[in-house]
Amino acid sequence: MAASNIARMRQWGRTFRPTAPGLLSNAHWLAGAAFLVLGILWLRTGIGGSWSSDSRQNLYLANLMLLYMLVALGLNVISGYVGAASIGHIALFAIGAYTEAILTTDYGWHVWPAVLAGAVVAMVASLPLGLILLRLSGWYFSVVTLLLVVVVSDLILQQKELTGGGAGVFGLTMPYIGNHQLDSRDYLYFIGGLNVVVFLMLRYLIDCTRWGKAFIAVRQAEPAARAVGIHPFVVQESALMISAFLAGLAGALFAPLPGIINPDSFPILDSIFFLLAILAGGMGTVPGPVVGTLALYIVPQWLNRQQALKDYSFLVYGLLLLLLVIFLPEGISGGVRRLWYQLFGRWMKQDGGGAGSIAATGAASAAPGTDHQALQYLRQGPAASGDFALETVGLSKQFGDLVALDDLSVQVRRGTIHAIIGPNGSGKTTLLNVVSGFYRPDRGSMKCFGRTLPPGRASRSIRRGVARTFQVPQMLPALTGLENVMLGCHSGGKVTMVDGLLPLPHVRRERRRFEARARACIELVGLGEKEMRAACGQLPFAHQRLLEIARAVAGEPRMLLLDEPASGLHPDEVRQFITLIRLLRDSGMTIVLVEHNFALVGELSDSITVLDAGMLLAEGDIHAVRHDPKVIEAYLGA
Ligand code: ADP
Ligand code: MG
């Protein structure tokens, strides 16, 4: 139930989100802010006492909570967005803390540079881990992160000279700002402020730059991610680094608080707390970790203070968590948002329905002529050189004993529509996979616009101007049509993950440029505002196919590989599709069309290659192919 619920609810929330008027659309932000205010009020009235009584214990707990929130914010990037659940973040937290402690006590560093060093060391420590870990998926990743905790705590005990073994490192002092040494209350404000800054930076990175969508794409539709030039490994590794940096930073800031750290300061259960916090708050939502940490931290404190519940507080806590998972599978922030839309949804739907719902008008009317905006983008691209867009020589690909491509040499003229046809299983999709760098051929070579194409490198193929779609559309169901198509602009992006943390002018410019280009491409394929705003998973199959073509076109390719793009389209849509493909060809793009609809191929293509059992059966124009006895026998004969 949980998985489908999550998908349904996220989509549901998303459908209306962009149409909502200001205040309503920010429901989850308001909820987050309300939680923060409530949390602070709670702290003021005291966790087990009044804040004004200056109870050291309360301040310590509040500080710790904010530090844990910082870890959870980072963990949400790798576990929530990229989807690799780490149980090892307490180890990174410990690495940060020990680095700070050792540098300040043994080497006489000031606290601030030592804190920064702690964050950097944790980040560097995650690097080789990422290399090993991210190749393992799902549960394996989680299990190995658990091992990380064991290894780190073992190292801490072993390296007695450095870490003080079981006794730990003591005599740590709070940092200074100018001449003023911070006390725990100043520290609370400082860390609170830091949380706000980190929160805003991550929010910007995820909501407003190409990287946020890349994180989600790597998790939800890896083929799509690779097809638009995202390197899944680089994205995963960077997300892990961001998350490790924050865990290390939090750990390093933690060390001065108790003044002494030892292995007991880093219980493994806290690692599970971080994960639970983002789960409870809403995994893969920006406010999730904030809401979740507050809830998971404050509820048990509150339960502890209820005389009636004192003996059962753990039981009640567990029960509450269970109820949460059952009734709010999308977490508290998602649940609040859902409630908000349930209360105000009808009003918002009316509000957004009028101007927003321009029905799909079809390529013929949406793309009235050759001066279409998207075509202008395409013509601005570098002029293609060479007579052939694609030349393959002796390509072979085997899966076990099965020969999918057998010594295949194909030539595709530049600026033409070239169809690849053949019976099922004849190797058409495999050929596209090899050319787009998804598969590495066993033998043979490829040239793209006169230059050798390195085998098995999807990101290289993209950079050479090769874009593709899939036989089964690979869209991100929870993102809107517009966001999906913007993903296609990824390879043309310059904004790095570091600039993406700040609303710098060039970051905003890039986003505006991507959005304009994506809109133009969606209009080019004949879809409108409605499809831009709707969650992709809710759109009909045919529209998903067209959006996928729009996404490929948004990358401004010179050659477009389409895998059975017309299947599932009804006759009207096929007409629109034909218009679209001709427009693209006339704008200078080369189209490689894998198709089994022979009538469509005959009408559309300039030249045809017929495959059978991975071998070239025939080639030429439609007349030559149609009358070729081998083709009639093998393919058309039936
Ligand atoms: P087509 O697209 O022409 O229908 P494919 O290129 O998908 O055919 O497949 C050609 C042959 O290769 C089929 O027999 C298919 O089962 C096999 N094949 C394709 N991809 C794989 C793979 N990843 N692993 C194993 N076999 C595969
Ligand atoms: Mg196929």
Side-chain angles (χ1 to χ4, degrees):
M1 149 186 169
S4 62
N5 261 6
I6 292 173
R8 187 159 49 85
M9 286 159 183
R10 286 207 179 130
Q11 283 169 16
W12 192 72
R14 282 213 164 245
T15 320
F16 301 116
R17 190 198 57 178
T19 67
L23 203 73
L24 290 179
S25 67
N26 289 321
H28 50 297
W29 293 108
L30 292 176
F35 255 102
L36 203 66
V37 170
L38 271 180
I40 289 170
L41 282 179
W42 201 275
L43 290 171
R44 278 208 79 99
T45 53
I47 302 169
S50 145
W51 200 10
S52 53
S53 75
D54 208 354
S55 145
R56 281 186 62 83
Q57 180 64 9
N58 288 342
L59 280 172
Y60 176 80
L61 283 177
N63 269 304
L64 194 61
M65 180 184 76
L66 289 180
L67 288 171
Y68 276 16
M69 195 181 282
L70 198 57
V71 180
L73 279 169
L75 182 65
N76 192 34
V77 178
I78 182 75
S79 298
Y81 285 95
V82 177
S86 159
I87 320 177
H89 268 52
I90 195 71
L92 297 166
F93 186 83
I95 291 175
Y98 269 96
T99 307
E100 195 274 349
I102 293 166
L103 286 177
T104 50
T105 54
D106 291 358
Y107 296 89
W109 282 38
H110 285 295
V111 175
W112 296 123
V115 164
L116 197 62
V120 172
V121 170
M123 184 174 77
V124 173
S126 79
L127 261 180
L129 280 172
L131 287 176
I132 309 165
L133 299 183
L134 290 171
R135 286 181 191 272
L136 307 171
S137 56
W139 288 106
Y140 294 103
F141 177 83
S142 306
V143 169
V144 181
T145 54
L146 195 60
L147 288 181
L148 170 71
V149 182
V150 178
V151 169
V152 168
S153 54
D154 215 45
L155 272 178
I156 291 173
L157 286 174
Q158 298 289 321
Q159 302 292 319
K160 279 201 183 62
E161 276 118 75
L162 209 57
T163 63
V169 187
F170 28 91
L172 308 174
T173 53
M174 292 291 274
Y176 284 82
I177 289 183
N179 283 330
H180 172 70
Q181 188 174 27
L182 302 183
D183 62 19
S184 358
R185 184 172 302 174
D186 303 332
Y187 215 53
L188 192 64
Y189 290 123
F190 169 72
I191 297 172
L194 184 68
N195 268 299
V196 171
V197 171
V198 167
F199 174 85
L200 291 175
M201 288 170 108
L202 288 179
R203 187 196 84 87
Y204 197 74
L205 180 76
I206 285 163
D207 280 352
C208 303
T209 75
R210 59 186 180 141
W211 296 107
K213 308 290 170 293
F215 289 153
I216 300 171
V218 165
R219 181 185 75 218
Q220 284 191 345
E222 197 182 310
R226 293 174 65 200
V228 299
I230 294 169
H231 209 301
F233 180 68
V234 172
V235 168
Q236 287 169 327
E237 181 74 271
S238 321
L240 182 63
M241 276 167 71
I242 292 179
S243 145
F245 183 90
L246 290 175
L249 182 68
L253 286 168
F254 163 75
L257 258 182
I260 164 172
I261 55 165
N262 57 39
D264 293 339
S265 321
F266 312 102
I268 191 164
L269 263 180
D270 288 5
S271 235
I272 296 171
F273 172 89
F274 303 141
L275 213 54
L276 268 182
I278 59 172
L279 251 175
M283 229 180 195
T285 64
V286 183
V290 175
V291 177
T293 315
L294 284 171
L296 287 202
Y297 218 89
I298 290 170
V299 169
Q301 308 283 350
W302 177 79
L303 286 174
N304 252 336
R305 289 198 301 133
Q306 305 305 308
Q307 284 308 322
L309 293 175
K310 210 164 174 61
D311 297 339
Y312 305 101
S313 60
F314 253 111
L315 198 68
V316 176
Y317 186 47
L319 208 63
L320 284 178
L321 274 179
L322 196 68
L323 291 176
L324 184 85
V325 172
I326 293 174
F327 291 106
L328 294 179
E330 74 280 58
I332 297 170
S333 67
V336 169
R337 193 164 79 187
R338 178 156 52 96
L339 193 69
W340 194 271
Y341 284 116
Q342 257 162 15
L343 290 174
F344 300 106
R346 201 180 311 144
W347 172 24
M348 283 155 51
K349 227 157 116 186
Q350 281 166 0
D351 188 79
S357 52
I358 302 167
T361 42
S365 54
T370 45
D371 58 346
H372 197 282
Q373 180 80 39
L375 298 176
Q376 285 168 13
Y377 282 122
L378 292 173
R379 290 200 200 97
Q380 284 163 10
S385 56
D387 279 345
F388 293 104
L390 177 70
E391 293 164 88
T392 74
V393 182
L395 278 189
S396 298
K397 178 75 191 169
Q398 233 170 308
F399 298 105
D401 290 338
L402 189 128
V403 183
L405 292 181
D406 192 358
D407 194 27
L408 185 65
S409 301
V410 176
Q411 292 179 325
V412 176
R413 277 194 177 279
R414 181 159 63 91
T416 60
I417 299 173
H418 186 108
I420 312 259
I421 62 172
N424 269 340
S426 56
K428 306 178 297 289
T429 299
T430 305
L431 177 64
L432 292 200
N433 278 330
V434 168
V435 173
S436 57
F438 276 63
Y439 290 168
R440 177 182 283 274
D442 301 326
R443 278 183 306 284
S445 65
M446 299 173 282
K447 271 187 178 174
C448 181
F449 298 104
R451 289 172 65 196
T452 305
L453 198 61
R457 305 272 293 274
S459 52
R460 282 291 187 86
S461 295
I462 276 284
R463 257 181 275 149
R464 292 285 170 79
V466 182
R468 66 168 296 178
T469 65
F470 295 87
Q471 197 166 342
V472 179
Q474 297 285 321
M475 305 305 280
L476 283 70
L479 297 191
T480 63
L482 184 65
E483 288 170 324
N484 265 287
V485 176
M486 282 172 75
L487 196 65
C489 306
H490 184 93
S491 65
K494 299 267 186 302
V495 167
T496 65
M497 256 187 232
V498 178
D499 339 326
L501 292 167
L502 295 171
L504 299 169
H506 76 281
V507 180
R508 288 163 179 273
R509 259 201 311 277
E510 179 172 293
R511 183 179 167 75
R512 277 202 297 271
R513 187 162 58 85
F514 280 9
E515 187 172 333
R517 206 198 296 172
R519 282 181 173 278
C521 291
I522 293 176
E523 282 164 14
L524 178 72
V525 300
L527 301 178
E529 200 70 23
K530 191 166 147 235
E531 288 77 18
M532 291 185 201
R533 293 175 176 209
C536 223
Q538 292 189 328
L539 289 173
F541 206 51
H543 289 176
Q544 294 195 31
R545 274 197 184 287
L546 289 172
L547 280 173
E548 197 184 31
I549 296 176
R551 183 172 69 196
V553 171
E556 296 176 14
R558 294 191 284 169
M559 177 160 63
L560 181 59
L561 314 177
L562 301 172
D563 200 348
E564 308 203 5
S567 67
L569 302 190
H570 67 71
D572 280 351
E573 288 166 333
V574 172
R575 300 294 340 147
Q576 293 166 14
F577 172 75
I578 291 175
T579 316
L580 168 69
I581 296 301
R582 288 197 175 133
L583 272 177
L584 289 175
R585 189 233 358 237
D586 295 343
S587 76
M589 198 185 288
T590 309
I591 313 277
V592 176
L593 177 70
V594 166
E595 192 45 71
H596 58 223
N597 179 343
F598 206 79
L600 177 69
V601 166
E603 182 168 352
L604 203 49
S605 52
D606 301 309
S607 52
I608 301 176
T609 296
V610 188
L611 297 186
D612 187 28
M615 282 186 286
L616 185 78
L617 192 68
E619 57 187 341
D621 63 11
I622 182 72
H623 301 293
V625 165
R626 185 173 275 156
H627 298 115
D628 190 309
K630 288 191 301 242
V631 176
I632 294 170
E633 187 189 341
Y635 184 52
L636 296 173

